[in-house]
Amino acid sequence: MTSLTDSERVALANTALYEAMEQGDHGAMSRLWLDDPDTEVSCVHPGWPVLRGRGEVLRSYALIMANTDYIQFFLTDVEVSIMSDTAMVTCTENILSGAPAEEEGQLGPLVGQLVVATNVFRRTEDGWKVWAHHGSPVLAEQDENDAAAEPEGPDDDPDQLLP
């Protein structure tokens, strides 16, 4: 049996972060985040301010999990970089989530979203732990038909902005 490389261990820790979110498993989420009194964790969810401190970060995940009926992550463009005891994972989160239902007992419509994320991990005696997460929404590209319907003004032409 071959031992896992650090890169493979970090990739597994990164996957576990998203699986905990999908399963609404706050206990697993808590075990994944760094718990070191000398190192402050941080998290930026898309559209949120910076959250600092383990308690505030884990509280945010608890709120998201409690208010999300369904969520699934399809990770693409995953890149792992390691320097000593610190690792960085960049990826695209292709998120499918259930919007609130209009009627009790019904599943709401599914909503898709793209987020680019950076997850930073620290090596501990218990394995790789999340030190920081930053997610930024990806703006949807404009459809050609939408672009053709909008009039082009002087602010839309970069050549007209030059002196």
Side-chain angles (χ1 to χ4, degrees):
M1 185 163 91
T2 306
S3 177
L4 295 176
T5 66
D6 278 340
S7 184
E8 290 168 330
R9 285 186 179 97
V10 169
L12 287 172
N14 190 67
T15 299
L17 177 69
Y18 293 97
E19 287 175 351
M21 186 72 168
E22 287 177 348
Q23 296 165 8
D25 189 341
H26 194 262
M29 184 65 71
S30 296
R31 290 187 296 277
L32 291 166
W33 279 84
L34 187 63
D35 190 5
D36 179 352
D38 297 327
T39 307
E40 183 176 68
V41 299
S42 67
C43 179
V44 177
H45 298 295
W48 291 37
V50 177
L51 304 174
R52 290 188 174 86
R54 184 175 158 77
E56 191 172 342
V57 168
L58 292 176
R59 197 168 20 263
S60 74
Y61 280 102
L63 286 169
I64 292 169
M65 289 179 204
N67 291 294
T68 304
D69 291 334
Y70 172 84
I71 191 163
Q72 189 171 8
F73 295 88
F74 301 94
L75 302 181
T76 57
D77 310 315
V78 179
E79 296 286 335
V80 177
S81 300
I82 300 173
M83 184 179 289
S84 186
D85 291 335
T86 304
M88 179 179 70
V89 178
T90 57
C91 61
T92 301
E93 302 171 355
N94 300 269
I95 305 169
L96 187 61
S97 61
E102 292 181 20
E103 295 182 29
E104 186 70 30
Q106 298 289 322
L107 183 62
L110 294 177
V111 177
Q113 180 181 7
L114 284 179
V115 172
V116 290
T118 301
N119 297 315
V120 181
F121 294 83
R122 291 295 308 234
R123 184 193 321 259
T124 71
E125 292 176 1
D126 297 322
W128 291 93
K129 302 294 180 179
V130 184
W131 183 9
H133 166 80
H134 186 120
S136 295
V138 175
L139 299 178
E141 290 187 27
Q142 196 173 34
D143 187 347
E144 286 182 29
N145 293 333
D146 293 341
E150 293 181 20
E152 194 173 301
D155 292 340
D156 294 334
D157 184 356
D159 292 334
Q160 292 193 20
L161 297 176
L162 298 174

